[in-house]
Amino acid sequence: MISFNLLVLVSLAYVAFLFLVAFAAERRAALGKTGWLRSSTIYTLSLSIYCTAWTFYGAVGYAARSGLEYLTIYLGPTLVMIGWWWLVRKLVRIGRTQRLTSIADLISSRYGKSTVLGVMVTVLAIVGTTPYIALQLQSVTQSIGVFAASSGEAWMPRDFNSAAMWVAVGLAVFTVAFGTRNLDAHERHHGIVLAIAVEAMVKLFALLAVGIFVVWGIAGGVGPTLDLIDASAQSQLRPIAGRWIGLIFVSAGAFLCLPRMFQVLVVENSDERALGTAGWAFPAYLLLMSLFVVPIAVVGLDLMPEGANPDLFVVTLPLSEGRQGLAILSFLGGFSSATSMVIVATLALATMVSNHIIVPSWLNARTPGAVVSGDVRRVVVISRRISIGMILAFGYIYFRLSGGGTALAVIGLVSFMGVVQVLPAMIGGVFWRGANRWGAGAGLMVGFTVWAWTSFLPSFGIDAAISHSVFENGPFGIGWLRPQALFGITGLDPFVHALFWSMFLNTTSFMLVSILTFPNPLERLQGAQFVNVFDYSSGARTWSQSAAQAEDLLVMAQRILGGTAAQETFRAEAKSQGKVGFLPDVTPDFIGRLERELAGSVGAATAHAMIGQLTEGTIVSVEDLIAVADETAQIMEYSSELEAKSAEQERTARALLEANEMLTTLSIQKDAFLSQISHELRTPMTSIRSFSDILRDGEVEDDVRKRFAGIIHEESNRLTRLLDDLLDLGVLESGQVQLNLGQGSLADVLDRAVIASGADTGKLKIMRKPANEAVVVNTDLDRLAQVFINLISNAAKYCTSATPQLRIIVREIGGNTVVDFCDNGEGIPNESQSMIFEKFSRLEDEGKAGGAGLGLAICRQIMGALGGDVTYLPGQGGAAFRVTLPQTQALAAQ
Amino acid sequence: MGQRVLLIEDEPNIIEAVSYILSKDGWTVHTHSDGETAMEKVMQGVPDLIILDVMLPGRSGYDILRDLKAQETTADVPVMMLTARGQAKDREMAIDLGATRFMTKPFSNAEVLESVRALATR
């Protein structure tokens, strides 16, 4: 009989052996001899942590209960490794280029370094994995219990519990020892990987040994075994299509999404080529692991007493046959399965908790801007250790609370389905650039909630987490929310039901929200880096840790600082080191100083990235590039600001110049105007003075005196008119003219103008078409009449024809009413037409007719004030002016 | 007496007034009212004195004065400028060009007579 002490001794010896293996591997790795530690064999064997105690013990129980269905758990990963190798390869490539540390890091990193998503995945992983860790502890205590029962010793239940606790503590110590030894940027743990590879061999060897013993030692060969299988009730079980598809899908998804699988598959992968070997070797390993499951189950059911737990046949069968050595080997196989899973799962979870929850909180709690350097490493190590302890404590507490009642396979499936909720966000993130953080967050939330409601909470049993009435009637009596009949769909297998709804709602919300929202720039970049990872990265690249080359640095510095300045800096440094020439030793001090100097020219981020590339051989990360782009944008913005400023100054200068020119012009115009005014005023005054002198000084004949008095009278009238015009123009030009709006007929206004101009009594013959003049105008009628009077008077004064005529024509042109005044004189020469509306532009040749040349200027000002216009119409035979009435008048007329 | 005065001026009322007072004083007054043809008029019979307005249609009084001073036959004929622009620079320009007198409009008849007499007896 095997005593409890012997069992403990064997276990301790085994654990000590594992410590040794791991320690040796770490030593080799530390010495740089990682050659065979990175081999594809080790990689393939490390993948075997997929086979936990659940597969080791539980598969037999599963087969005993449900026949061949247990195979689905092996088929999922097999399909992934054979059929989806390109997906695995892509994940591995992304993991390496992005230096991912966990699945939470993958999701967070892909979706723009989202902290929230990292936390969500971490929480999901903890909730999904804790029961699984409890399961491993349970399997260890159960197998110990088997030995207790067979030895007849009366072990107290608390011994089971303390055994589980000691196992948990031991695992924590192991994980802390080898999982947090050094903080490699690549998160690779050679010691742990080698230890679990050894454990993989142990469990395979143990299971094969038990299988061979069962087939050839108990059943008596392959033939009898097959007969036994044919006769068993299990052979009658037919596969249920829905469950098979669902199970294969879940195990395939879990193979990719389980934190521990991601750890060994992606994070611990140091050579992409190892995937090639693992692609066939791992399925082969799974095949061997599953080979003897059915024989052991069938033979066990046949031989063992009714009610024996089929989950433990692997140990109980050899024991019942008295093969204690084989039983201990089998126990060690199960122990290996359990411990390797717990170690890697704990390590992966601790990394996630530490990186996504503890360290960010710690950094946030610190004063912003504080220098972060060496102390971060210490914080990270401590937080990892605490996380490891916490996670194992969770597992242990869960184990104690659940009481070990549930079948192993059920816990496993619930756990698998939980972590598979990450799958849509992961696959979408890797293949679909449109996926964004809102979509990923929504999908995770929905999937996690539905999973918890339909699968996780019900797994505690009826009335444990969800009451019986809720199962029957739904929460608050809402029938379509029943945990196992969502949306009123009943009759589905609970597993298929939960899987379908959680994945369907998860994927749908992920895609819909992704389509409806927009990713931020960092997300876009990361999306491109993930989806097109093979375009961005080269093949299996290994860069040598190139030593900093003073020459490289000099070349770069010259490019940025300019030849002389760079050479001066380097020469000074070399001189201070006591060397001659331009190439000093590259000390950290010097690198720091050089970086600061370069930062002055190209910005801190750029300088850091450049120096980093030369001195440490690091590659430039996306964040570096974004920082560089930000800086460049800032510099460009600054320079464009400068440009804008100088353009502004130029504009101002130009405006000043123009204003100055205008002032000069105005001043010249003012001089010209004053001189003109002076001339116009002095001329009549000269006549008045001269003639009044004559009349005063001497005797003048009567008729001559009368004539001279007449001239004086005329000239003083002329002066008055001129002053009136000047004042009128002044008012009009200042824009302060008071308009006296009224309504009247255009014909009336024209009649008044003809009479006021005095043209009707003179030589000028005026021709009108009264029919066209029946237009109602709504304007300042006096001002309009003033314009008409001016134009008619001009015709009367200046028309050169012997029989002067003036045609006044009213018509409609383009919606405007126009009044044309055309005489039959010589008209105005082309070169003068442009200036007749200027002040004092009286054509000198015709100046004898009197008037100061202000009339047309006044007309133009008046029409401008009324909202119309007056223009010269060339090519009409004689002088022709067109008065365009304001638009509103035309409208009012209709 | 009987000296000939040529009045080149475009304002009809001024022509009438100046002609009237000079005629009464015994001068033979010829008038011309166009700037462009003024030199031709002068050359037809060089007068003893020219009264020249600045602002003339066709040609400015200054241009005509320049021509008069440039011609040998007319260079010595005294010229009295009349102008309605009474600014200092106008006066300076006239004197620079060789005008003998400069008179701003409006003027008194006595002034005109006095100036004409002074110039003619030189």
Side-chain angles (χ1 to χ4, degrees), chain A residues 87-100:
Chain A
L87 169 60
V88 180
R89 184 166 145 250
K90 195 164 191 180
L91 286 175
V92 168
R93 177 69 65 87
I94 291 170
R96 202 192 63 223
T97 53
Q98 298 282 325
R99 301 197 178 166
L100 298 180

Side-chain angles (χ1 to χ4, degrees), chain B residues 15-30 113:
Chain B
I15 295 174
E16 187 168 353
V18 173
S19 303
Y20 181 84
I21 48 174
L22 288 183
S23 304
K24 275 198 96 179
D25 202 43
W27 301 81
T28 309
V29 182
H30 298 267
L113 277 176

Side-chain angles (χ1 to χ4, degrees), chain B residues 98-118:
Chain B
T100 322
R101 288 241 168 168
F102 181 91
M103 197 165 284
T104 308
K105 295 174 181 176
F107 42 77
S108 73
N109 291 352
E111 249 181 308
V112 175
L113 277 176
E114 186 192 322
S115 296
V116 170
R117 282 175 194 150

Side-chain angles (χ1 to χ4, degrees), chain A residues 196-357:
Chain A
I196 62 176
V198 168
E199 290 192 300
M201 310 250 286
V202 171
K203 64 193 176 195
L204 179 61
F205 182 68
L207 201 59
L208 287 179
V210 173
I212 289 166
F213 167 71
V214 166
V215 172
W216 280 277
I218 301 177
V222 178
T225 309
L226 288 178
D227 292 342
L228 209 57
I229 292 170
D230 275 344
S232 70
Q234 279 66 39
S235 67
Q236 304 308 313
L237 294 170
R238 289 285 158 259
I240 305 162
R243 274 186 69 84
W244 272 62
I245 293 170
L247 285 164
I248 290 175
F249 174 78
V250 158
S251 54
F255 182 70
L256 292 170
C257 298
L258 280 169
R260 68 172 194 276
M261 289 317 298
F262 193 85
Q263 180 80 29
V264 289
L265 198 62
V266 176
V267 181
E268 304 283 357
N269 178 301
S270 49
D271 190 348
E272 235 172 71
R273 286 166 295 190
L275 271 180
T277 311
W280 61 264
F282 184 63
Y285 182 94
L286 290 180
L287 179 70
L288 290 177
M289 284 296 282
S290 61
L291 197 55
F292 290 106
V293 168
V294 172
I296 296 173
V298 171
V299 171
L301 284 174
D302 193 37
L303 287 186
M304 299 300 286
E306 193 88 1
N309 185 354
D311 278 342
L312 296 168
F313 281 170
V314 184
V315 180
T316 51
L317 264 178
L319 265 187
S320 69
E321 294 295 313
R323 302 291 180 133
Q324 292 175 2
L326 187 60
I328 287 191
L329 179 63
S330 175
F331 167 76
L332 282 182
F335 187 75
S336 292
S337 311
T339 51
S340 57
M341 178 271 165
V342 173
I343 289 166
V344 181
T346 310
L347 180 64
L349 285 180
T351 308
M352 285 158 70
V353 170
S354 161
N355 285 5
H356 294 282
I357 297 176

Side-chain angles (χ1 to χ4, degrees), chain A residues 100-137:
Chain A
L100 298 180
T101 57
S102 65
I103 179 124
D105 197 20
L106 171 96
I107 299 294
S108 150
S109 192
R110 161 60 178 85
Y111 297 106
K113 318 264 170 182
S114 162
T115 318
V116 177
L117 282 180
V119 171
M120 280 171 74
V121 175
T122 304
V123 169
L124 184 69
I126 291 174
V127 174
T129 308
T130 308
Y132 216 104
I133 291 172
L135 179 75
Q136 309 305 315
L137 298 176

Side-chain angles (χ1 to χ4, degrees), chain A residues 273-457:
Chain A
R273 286 166 295 190
L275 271 180
T277 311
W280 61 264
F282 184 63
Y285 182 94
L286 290 180
L287 179 70
L288 290 177
M289 284 296 282
S290 61
L291 197 55
F292 290 106
V293 168
V294 172
I296 296 173
V298 171
V299 171
L301 284 174
D302 193 37
L303 287 186
M304 299 300 286
E306 193 88 1
N309 185 354
D311 278 342
L312 296 168
F313 281 170
V314 184
V315 180
T316 51
L317 264 178
L319 265 187
S320 69
E321 294 295 313
R323 302 291 180 133
Q324 292 175 2
L326 187 60
I328 287 191
L329 179 63
S330 175
F331 167 76
L332 282 182
F335 187 75
S336 292
S337 311
T339 51
S340 57
M341 178 271 165
V342 173
I343 289 166
V344 181
T346 310
L347 180 64
L349 285 180
T351 308
M352 285 158 70
V353 170
S354 161
N355 285 5
H356 294 282
I357 297 176
I358 299 182
V359 175
S361 321
W362 180 77
L363 285 177
N364 277 344
R366 288 164 53 96
T367 43
V371 181
V372 180
S373 55
D375 51 350
V376 171
R377 294 177 69 84
R378 220 183 66 241
V379 170
V380 171
V381 169
I382 292 172
S383 82
R384 288 244 176 121
R385 289 180 179 162
I386 293 171
S387 307
I388 288 170
M390 257 165 38
I391 287 157
L392 280 166
F394 277 149
Y396 177 73
I397 292 166
Y398 187 93
F399 161 75
R400 289 296 305 274
L401 291 181
S402 68
T406 342
L408 297 181
V410 176
I411 300 185
L413 280 183
V414 169
S415 177
F416 271 26
M417 206 194 296
V419 295
V420 165
Q421 300 306 323
V422 181
L423 194 65
M426 179 167 104
I427 302 281
V430 169
F431 288 105
W432 181 33
R433 288 193 61 179
N436 67 37
R437 65 170 72 187
W438 304 111
L444 281 172
M445 282 301 286
V446 169
F448 184 70
T449 311
V450 175
W451 165 75
W453 182 246
T454 58
S455 177
F456 183 63
L457 295 178

